[in-house]
Amino acid sequence: MSELSKLLTQIRACRICEAILEPHPVLHVGPTARLCIASQAPGLRVHETGLSFNDASGDRLRDWMGVGRDAFYDESKVALAGMAFCFPGYDAQGHDKPPPKICAATWRTRLFAARPEFETTLLVGHYAQAWHLGRARKSTMTETVQAWRDYAPRFVPLPHPSWRNTGWLKANPWFAEEVLPYLRRRVRRLLRD
Ligand code: SF4
């Protein structure tokens, strides 16, 4: 069994957050994918179905990337690894809680070290941007996404595709005009070669 397979078995058996949620780690990471999608934490539907981005946010992300579900879920080409692997529960306002930091602290460095480096990682939302970019991140998510040329092609920072960001998309038309054409070209190349 490869190091990656052993690690994935350990992650899928992880119960660190058992006291605050029902653990059900969801991630899709194979040894050959050249593209990774790093997001935040699974929503309830993803947690229940065991399939990342199996929701309206996923539909919008696939549209941004210019791919259908078959390509998106082809684990030989695309890896999906959020900043936490289990649904973190709801806060008092009924919104998903942030990804528990213990998850990335326990697993993330080991997971990325257990396989070849991804050629491009999509950083979906500010939690993934903070972890992967560190001090290279700008002071806001908008500024970080706007500076995408500084990070590409290794990283492409994106807003979260949640319906909550529909207002952000309308207020920032440069995202659809500049970032999405590059994103689609890059994804097409990584999935085709
Ligand atoms: S969120 Fe991460 S650390 Fe917590 S139980 Fe799930 S896999 Fe383990």
Side-chain angles (χ1 to χ4, degrees):
M1 193 187 263
S2 70
E3 277 307 306
L4 178 61
S5 299
K6 278 191 234 165
L7 186 61
L8 289 171
T9 301
Q10 288 176 32
I11 293 173
R12 290 190 175 113
C14 179
R15 294 294 176 268
I16 288 175
C17 304
E18 200 156 41
I20 51 170
L21 57 86
E22 176 64 32
H24 179 195
V26 178
L27 71 164
H28 314 270
V29 179
T32 57
R34 296 159 64 199
L35 172 66
C36 177
I37 300 173
S39 53
Q40 36 192 62
L44 182 58
R45 180 175 154 83
V46 169
H47 188 84
E48 288 172 347
T49 61
L51 199 57
S52 293
F53 280 108
N54 186 22
D55 52 18
S57 293
D59 292 338
R60 179 179 263 171
L61 180 59
R62 285 182 280 276
D63 178 55
W64 287 353
M65 294 168 63
V67 299
R69 289 177 71 93
D70 286 353
F72 189 84
Y73 291 116
D74 181 347
E75 201 174 287
S76 71
K77 296 194 170 175
V78 180
L80 298 156
M83 292 306 301
F85 303 133
C86 302
F87 172 58
Y90 294 117
D91 64 18
Q93 285 74 45
H95 301 148
D96 289 9
K97 284 184 182 168
K101 288 183 180 163
I102 184 80
C103 192
T106 306
W107 299 116
R108 202 158 186 85
T109 301
R110 292 168 65 193
L111 179 65
F112 278 71
R115 46 144 296 135
E117 192 171 342
F118 293 104
E119 290 180 40
T120 293
T121 300
L122 309 186
L123 304 178
V124 182
H126 71 275
Y127 295 109
Q129 290 160 19
W131 197 89
H132 286 272
L133 297 178
R135 295 164 99 171
R137 180 173 66 130
K138 310 295 181 199
S139 46
T140 66
M141 188 277 291
T142 301
E143 287 174 37
T144 303
V145 176
Q146 206 154 21
W148 62 276
R149 290 180 185 84
D150 294 355
Y151 312 114
R154 187 167 171 220
F155 297 112
V156 182
L158 302 171
H160 196 277
S162 159
W163 61 268
R164 286 195 191 88
N165 278 334
T166 298
W168 186 94
L169 294 169
K170 281 191 186 144
N172 295 281
W174 51 266
F175 176 73
E177 289 158 11
E178 299 170 20
V179 185
L180 292 189
Y182 172 80
L183 174 67
R184 288 180 185 139
R185 277 199 308 278
R186 184 72 189 155
V187 167
R188 202 161 49 235
R189 179 169 166 189
L190 291 172
L191 298 191
R192 183 190 58 212
D193 291 350

